Amino acid sequence: MSSKRFKKLPEKTLELPSEMIEKLLPVIKKNCTTKFDESVDLSFQINNKQKKSEINIRTVVNLPGGTGKKIKVAVVCEDTKTDEAKNAGADIVGGDEFIEKIKNGEMNFEKLICTPSMMIKLSKLGKVLGPKGLMPNPKLGTVTENLKTAISDAKSGQAEIRNDKDGNIGVSIGKKSFSDEKLIKNFNAVIDTLEKEKSNNTVKGELIRTAFVTSTMGVSYKLKLGKNI
């Protein structure tokens, strides 16, 4: 059953024509009627079922305006790199013992970074880390010798972009409390990343079929991208 708050929100918004992000942000914010700072979320449907192959996008985008979330970062590294990871701001740092804890289900972190030499040991935990999307990946910059950069990126505003088997991508571009300018910068960073992914894959036709914007507890609006991707 819908709440009183939800019943007051606009109805049939998906029947409206698509609009540019600049025009929709004030409307989305107006619909943020809960007491908490709601996220502004994008959802895309991509054309991932190609004739010759299936497209799977998995990448990261550095959001210039940040995410507004505090990310707990864990690092698996050799003892010689422990201090470097701690000084760079990692919340949890460890080696073999830490890997054992993860194996036993202790995963009180949102991002896991690993040095290449420790990755051999960590890769055995694919069944534990994989389903939660926590397995470090060189393509995402989370398997690296450069711990300082990886930790800084994870903390300052990095979002992952990946599609599910049906071609859906969901990504947050910030919070209701962010200025429109900040949200638009983050939006453009996401679009640029998707455009890059399209050129990296052999896509027949357009990559993005549909795009929507909403807030955590709000209603969806069709989004016009302003260019074909």
Side-chain angles (χ1 to χ4, degrees):
M1 209 172 91
S2 298
S3 65
K4 279 184 192 171
R5 184 199 68 81
F6 194 80
K7 282 175 182 166
K8 286 181 184 171
L9 292 174
E11 289 178 28
K12 298 182 180 176
T13 57
L14 294 179
E15 291 175 16
L16 298 170
S18 58
E19 294 282 4
M20 299 292 280
I21 189 81
E22 292 82 351
K23 195 167 179 182
L24 289 174
L25 282 176
V27 183
I28 293 288
K29 286 182 176 183
K30 196 179 165 191
N31 290 344
C32 290
T33 51
T34 59
K35 289 190 172 86
F36 68 95
D37 195 9
E38 293 183 42
S39 291
V40 177
D41 303 323
L42 305 176
S43 57
F44 302 98
Q45 172 86 46
I46 65 162
N47 180 15
N48 69 323
K49 303 275 193 268
Q50 299 282 309
K51 266 186 182 174
K52 289 182 181 173
S53 65
E54 193 166 294
I55 289 170
N56 279 308
I57 288 174
R58 190 172 180 204
T59 186
V60 285
V61 54
N62 287 317
L63 299 173
T67 60
K69 294 175 189 168
K70 275 195 167 138
I71 303 291
K72 202 169 183 184
V73 176
V75 174
V76 171
C77 61
E78 309 87 297
D79 294 344
T80 51
K81 282 189 167 274
T82 301
D83 287 344
E84 185 191 331
K86 283 178 180 170
N87 293 338
D91 299 284
I92 307 167
V93 183
D96 294 339
E97 282 180 20
F98 182 36
I99 291 173
E100 274 305 307
K101 283 182 180 177
I102 296 170
K103 193 178 174 181
N104 295 325
E106 274 189 49
M107 284 180 283
N108 54 341
F109 50 83
E110 283 104 19
K111 196 91 170 179
L112 185 59
I113 293 163
C114 184
T115 54
S117 61
M118 294 296 278
M119 195 58 203
I120 302 150
K121 295 175 180 179
L122 199 62
S123 60
K124 291 169 186 167
L125 304 187
K127 283 181 182 170
V128 182
L129 294 166
K132 294 185 183 292
L134 290 169
M135 180 58 89
N137 184 325
K139 193 186 169 197
L140 305 179
T142 44
V143 178
T144 178
E145 290 287 0
N146 191 348
L147 295 177
K148 194 177 177 185
T149 300
I151 294 163
S152 164
D153 285 348
K155 290 264 185 188
S156 64
Q158 202 175 53
E160 192 169 332
I161 296 179
R162 65 189 298 187
N163 63 279
D164 64 15
K165 62 179 179 5
D166 299 316
N168 301 304
I169 294 173
V171 61
S172 171
I173 54 168
K175 301 279 188 181
K176 171 207 172 183
S177 57
F178 282 22
S179 66
D180 285 7
E181 186 190 10
K182 214 185 235 193
L183 289 166
I184 290 163
K185 272 185 183 172
N186 285 351
F187 170 78
N188 288 334
V190 170
I191 296 302
D192 290 347
T193 302
L194 286 168
E195 203 166 16
K196 214 174 281 173
E197 284 298 306
K198 183 186 177 179
S199 60
N200 291 342
N201 290 281
T202 319
V203 182
K204 207 165 173 54
E206 288 177 13
L207 174 67
I208 299 172
R209 279 180 172 155
T210 56
F212 299 91
V213 60
T214 183
S215 62
T216 312
M217 305 295 282
V219 284
S220 285
Y221 290 83
K222 283 183 196 165
L223 191 53
K224 191 188 282 182
L225 299 183
K227 53 181 168 182
N228 294 336
I229 297 176

